Amino acid sequence: FRVTWTPTSCCFATEEQMRPIYENEYDRSNEGYIKNYIESKSEFTYEKSEPFSSIDGLLFQAGEHVGNVEIKTRTNASDKYPTYMISATKVGSILRMSKEDKVIPLLIVRFTDGVFVVVLEDKYEKRIGGRHDRNDSHDTETCMYIPMTEFVQI
């Protein structure tokens, strides 16, 4: 394994797997916002998972682990696009981990017009997609396109 560190990113992987870590203070702040939002709107509590985990956190109800959570933020309204794009590899990891833990796999997204949740399933359309703003070739991959009609506002 090799570790690299710059003021804006850190990597920990084999040479072949080396990728920057893009999580930043804004992401951590958003996760805190989602934690507070969930806990204020429901009887659930949220606990951040360990660094480098396949999920962002765990959802608990009455002390019982009931869900594995991935948290995302978008700078657009929830109705701007007909689908929500997410890495198929990421969804696969969350689904496997949730099946092992016997809990619900959840994606929670903060849009400009609210916080929305969907139960992840391996049923959505898959095709190549991604982002191009970070000049990272790994940001283009097989993605799942989840219809926005599947999401529920919290």
Side-chain angles (χ1 to χ4, degrees), residues 35-122:
K35 174 190 181 345
N36 293 337
Y37 190 87
I38 289 169
E39 292 177 355
S40 72
K41 299 281 186 186
S42 67
E43 296 178 9
F44 295 101
T45 56
Y46 175 85
E47 183 180 303
K48 183 168 177 46
S49 48
E50 296 295 319
F52 307 109
S53 175
S54 296
I55 57 172
D56 288 326
L58 310 172
L59 199 63
F60 291 88
Q61 187 175 37
E64 181 183 346
H65 179 202
V66 295
N68 288 334
V69 180
E70 177 68 12
I71 293 176
K72 299 288 187 186
T73 301
R74 293 295 176 262
T75 57
N76 56 272
S78 60
D79 61 357
K80 182 171 183 178
Y81 302 104
T83 59
Y84 180 87
M85 179 181 67
I86 185 170
S87 163
T89 301
K90 167 65 86 173
V91 172
S93 294
I94 297 166
L95 291 174
R96 279 189 297 282
M97 181 179 278
S98 298
K99 185 175 181 181
E100 289 170 10
D101 294 346
K102 296 182 173 85
V103 297
I104 300 167
L106 297 169
L107 170 62
I108 299 175
V109 185
R110 180 182 181 188
F111 291 98
T112 58
D113 59 340
V115 177
F116 295 76
V117 63
V118 66
V119 175
L120 291 172
E121 299 180 64
D122 191 19

Side-chain angles (χ1 to χ4, degrees), residues 122-141:
D122 191 19
K123 69 176 187 178
Y124 305 113
E125 176 189 1
K126 294 178 189 173
R127 65 178 190 269
I128 298 298
R131 58 190 298 172
H132 305 281
D133 59 327
R134 298 190 294 204
N135 201 25
D136 184 339
S137 63
H138 292 97
D139 279 348
T140 301
E141 61 183 310

